[in-house]
Amino acid sequence: MSDIAMIEAAAARLAGHARRTPLLSSPFLDEIAGRRVLVKAECLQHTGSFKFRGGWSALSALEPARRAQGVMAYSSGNHAQGVALAAARHGAPAVIVMPADAPQLKIENTRALGAEVVLYDRATEDRDAIGARLADERGLTLIRPFDEPLVIAGQGTTGLEIAEQAAEEGVTSADVLTCCGGGGLTAGIALALEARAPGLRVRPVEPVGFDDTARSLAAGEIRSNAALSGSICDAIVTPQPGRITFPILARLCGPGLAVTDAEALRAMALAFLRLKIVLEPGGAVALAAALFRPDALEGDAVICTASGGNVDPPLFARALAEAAD
Amino acid sequence: MSDIAMIEAAAARLAGHARRTPLLSSPFLDEIAGRRVLVKAECLQHTGSFKFRGGWSALSALEPARRAQGVMAYSSGNHAQGVALAAARHGAPAVIVMPADAPQLKIENTRALGAEVVLYDRATEDRDAIGARLADERGLTLIRPFDEPLVIAGQGTTGLEIAEQAAEEGVTSADVLTCCGGGGLTAGIALALEARAPGLRVRPVEPVGFDDTARSLAAGEIRSNAALSGSICDAIVTPQPGRITFPILARLCGPGLAVTDAEALRAMALAFLRLKIVLEPGGAVALAAALFRPDALEGDAVICTASGGNVDPPLFARALAEAAD
């Protein structure tokens, strides 16, 4: 059961460990959007994405003896780094199961954060079987990336901060756009805002062609994506909404939005130019919707999460070059 | 007379208007530096640099009738934008005198922030004469970029935040590296730390070949640079320390440091990769010294300002490309 009490408890555990990220803005972005745009810069969180919140929330809630045996995650991306750093700071072993063809930089980063990386061959090996064997042999606790109440609660602390920071800006009624993959961040923020800022309504944003959450919300039941690759927004391409996250989204979120890869790249370039932050494509889709879908939004202000910034330099340079054209 | 009381007064005027920027860190940077590295991310300030603080401090302290007549600044860069936005938000006219060959983007940005831009020909026209005529005709108040106590006080609010944020991190004894041009930021931070965190010692960082402040500090009197162009760190290339700022620096700062353009570019790439912030070369020299001058520093931690992020995309792409080599 995920609720505001769990989020408040997670916030207490995260205090002094996670960053309270700033809510940024620029008059230049306001002009493009035709309304005020407030950007929650979670790319500035430890490990470069909000995932550290969920990782810390889960690790810090484990019974110490169990935690000391270690944790495990499946991830080639932001969740891996968030869990790895949270584990290292708790002095707990972390095993991250990654595909052998994951980017070398991500493998190296995860190792450098203190985790043991176990590689598997996507074509010939069964990830779940490898994970189950490791968990069994070593007594590791699996930290799921989104369908886990403690992780949702951790991501929800972002929503507590949004509620406070938006009120400081005088914004009490607005759409809150989230970069949405499995829905952990979206569900957590929605629960936090339901309790703390009911005039703020969460709306998930996804890549065109990978809008499983938007279609699931429209249908009232879980829908899947036809493809699992083909977008540069790798961080938020998931097969379908989670079994725990979706009912929360269905109860609390407004209609989903979808943006193209080109729009995500343009949003990355504008975040560089106007906010001085680094976003990865999957972390820029909410800003893209805020800027380029004005007719789909209502009100004088829009809030969006900028959920991560773990992007390789060549892709970032491409975003800058395309924006200059 | 610049002192802590003026800085505290400026902080009161800036409250709710300037951003309290975060103090960022990354275990990857700590490893390179061989000590903890804490980065005060002033690139996230309004207009992309700390200059908004000084601009707001000066504007907000003007007698309202005088402010309503308007303000003026000479600048092709960050001070122009800081003054322009501060004036716009006070409903005051702003005239920015810029060389006609300034980058088109900076001219456009300054106009877009509501300022009137007056262009002059560097080869044939006298900037000061143009400014004096405008000030005389329209009753404009000149806002100097660094040799102005109200501006120093505004920049000093950065130091108040550093004192608090460093204490929260458990750091009470460290070198504080600043990106130093005319010395407004450096003097302001030094005054703030003298009063609020006397274990933190300011040390200015400049580009190699443009280290007028370091040489002035070593000599005990003001020294000038031989050249006024030739570094990519345009924001901090100044002829010599200010007449008001230098005595403050001489009393409070430790020895200056200098880094190469190549080191500034590497620091930009590492800030991109590890902190997810955008720095311009002149805003990256302090981080460069923190990372690449370990033997010149003492102690378990170093604090550095990341003072601005107004960099053109092609130069930023170059920093990323060179770091990948």
Side-chain angles (χ1 to χ4, degrees):
Chain A
M1 179 60 195
S2 294
D3 59 19
I4 186 66
M6 277 190 76
I7 298 173
E8 293 282 7
R13 295 196 304 279
L14 266 69
H17 302 289
R19 288 195 186 113
R20 181 185 172 89
T21 55
L23 192 67
L24 303 176
S25 60
S26 160
F28 294 98
L29 298 183
D30 297 352
E31 193 177 330
I32 294 170
R35 52 171 61 85
R36 285 183 73 188
V37 180
L38 300 170
V39 180
K40 180 64 170 168
E42 274 297 291
C43 55
L44 303 175
Q45 190 53 262
H46 295 294
T47 69
S49 91
F50 71 94
K51 292 284 190 179
F52 177 76
R53 296 180 187 258
W56 186 279
S57 173
L59 263 290
S60 61
L62 282 180
E63 193 268 316
R66 191 172 164 203
R67 184 167 64 214
Q69 290 190 273
V71 298
M72 185 179 68
Y74 303 113
S75 170
S76 61
N78 290 330
H79 180 57
Q81 295 185 57
V83 168
L85 184 62
R89 296 213 172 151
H90 279 90
V95 178
I96 311 290
V97 181
M98 302 178 85
D101 60 353
Q104 194 60 31
L105 186 69
K106 289 187 173 171
I107 294 173
E108 286 171 11
N109 282 353
T110 305
R111 282 196 180 122
L113 290 169
E116 176 186 344
V117 174
V118 173
L119 300 174
Y120 71 98
D121 184 329
R122 277 203 249 217
T124 63
E125 293 184 283
D126 177 356
R127 185 190 77 170
D128 292 330
I130 293 171
R133 179 174 50 76
L134 283 168
D136 193 46
E137 285 173 4
R138 305 201 204 169
L140 304 175
T141 300
L142 176 64
I143 311 289
R144 292 186 178 80
F146 52 84
D147 251 352
E148 160 55 53
L150 286 166
V151 170
I152 294 170
Q155 322 306 30
T157 61
T158 315
L160 296 181
E161 295 174 14
I162 288 173
E164 289 179 14
Q165 293 168 317
E168 287 167 12
E169 295 288 336
V171 174
T172 54
S173 172
D175 281 346
V176 177
L177 309 183
T178 56
C179 304
C180 186
L185 178 66
T186 305
I189 292 177
L191 288 167
L193 297 181
E194 178 192 26
R196 293 285 175 269
L200 303 181
R201 178 181 66 157
V202 171
R203 298 180 62 184
V205 184
E206 296 164 293
V208 167
F210 303 87
D211 59 341
D212 51 299
T213 299
R215 288 183 293 107
S216 299
L217 287 172
E221 60 181 28
I222 289 178
R223 295 279 192 261
S224 299
N225 287 320
L228 262 181
S229 64
S231 168
I232 58 173
C233 303
D234 57 289
I236 57 169
V237 168
T238 41
Q240 58 184 45
R243 296 194 174 279
I244 297 178
T245 54
F246 182 67
I248 300 169
L249 306 191
R251 185 168 68 82
L252 295 173
C253 290
L257 298 154
V259 300
T260 65
D261 282 359
E263 289 170 326
L265 289 171
R266 282 173 62 201
M268 289 166 64
L270 286 163
F272 161 88
L273 205 58
R274 301 308 183 188
L275 302 176
K276 313 305 173 188
I277 56 175
V278 175
L279 298 185
E280 61 188 280
V285 296
L287 176 59
L291 296 175
F292 309 131
R293 293 287 181 280
D295 296 342
L297 307 173
E298 289 177 9
D300 298 334
V302 60
I303 300 167
C304 50
T305 60
S307 55
N310 290 313
V311 54
D312 288 333
L315 181 55
F316 196 77
R318 180 180 145 200
L320 298 186
E322 291 191 9
D325 288 345
Chain B
M1 180 59 193
S2 294
D3 59 18
I4 186 67
M6 276 189 76
I7 298 172
E8 293 282 7
R13 296 197 302 281
L14 266 69
H17 302 289
R19 288 194 186 114
R20 180 185 172 88
T21 55
L23 192 67
L24 302 176
S25 60
S26 160
F28 294 98
L29 298 183
D30 298 351
E31 192 177 331
I32 295 170
R35 52 171 61 85
R36 284 183 74 188
V37 180
L38 300 170
V39 180
K40 179 65 171 167
E42 273 297 290
C43 54
L44 302 176
Q45 190 52 262
H46 295 294
T47 71
S49 91
F50 72 94
K51 292 284 190 179
F52 177 76
R53 295 179 188 260
W56 187 278
S57 173
L59 263 289
S60 60
L62 282 180
E63 193 268 315
R66 192 173 162 201
R67 184 168 63 215
Q69 289 190 273
V71 298
M72 186 178 69
Y74 304 112
S75 169
S76 62
N78 290 332
H79 180 58
Q81 294 185 57
V83 169
L85 183 62
R89 295 210 175 154
H90 279 91
V95 178
I96 311 292
V97 182
M98 302 179 86
D101 59 351
Q104 194 60 31
L105 185 68
K106 289 186 174 170
I107 295 174
E108 286 170 12
N109 282 353
T110 306
R111 282 197 179 121
L113 291 169
E116 176 185 345
V117 174
V118 174
L119 300 175
Y120 71 98
D121 183 330
R122 278 203 248 218
T124 63
E125 292 185 283
D126 178 355
R127 185 190 75 170
D128 292 330
I130 293 171
R133 179 173 51 75
L134 283 169
D136 193 46
E137 287 173 4
R138 305 199 204 170
L140 304 174
T141 300
L142 177 65
I143 311 290
R144 291 186 179 81
F146 50 86
D147 251 353
E148 159 57 52
L150 286 167
V151 170
I152 295 170
Q155 323 304 31
T157 61
T158 315
L160 296 181
E161 294 174 15
I162 289 172
E164 289 179 13
Q165 293 169 317
E168 288 166 12
E169 295 288 336
V171 174
T172 54
S173 171
D175 282 346
V176 177
L177 308 183
T178 56
C179 304
C180 187
L185 178 66
T186 306
I189 292 177
L191 288 167
L193 297 182
E194 178 192 25
R196 294 283 174 269
L200 303 181
R201 178 181 66 157
V202 171
R203 298 181 63 184
V205 184
E206 296 164 295
V208 167
F210 303 88
D211 60 341
D212 51 297
T213 299
R215 288 183 293 107
S216 300
L217 288 172
E221 60 181 30
I222 289 178
R223 295 279 192 259
S224 299
N225 287 321
L228 262 180
S229 63
S231 168
I232 57 172
C233 303
D234 57 288
I236 57 170
V237 169
T238 41
Q240 58 184 44
R243 297 195 172 280
I244 296 177
T245 55
F246 181 66
I248 300 168
L249 307 191
R251 185 169 68 81
L252 295 174
C253 290
L257 299 155
V259 300
T260 65
D261 282 359
E263 289 170 326
L265 289 171
R266 281 174 63 201
M268 288 166 64
L270 286 163
F272 160 88
L273 205 58
R274 301 308 183 187
L275 302 176
K276 313 305 172 189
I277 57 174
V278 176
L279 298 185
E280 61 188 280
V285 296
L287 176 60
L291 296 175
F292 309 130
R293 293 288 180 279
D295 296 342
L297 306 173
E298 289 177 8
D300 298 334
V302 59
I303 299 168
C304 51
T305 60
S307 55
N310 290 313
V311 54
D312 288 333
L315 181 55
F316 196 79
R318 181 180 144 201
L320 298 186
E322 289 190 10
D325 288 345

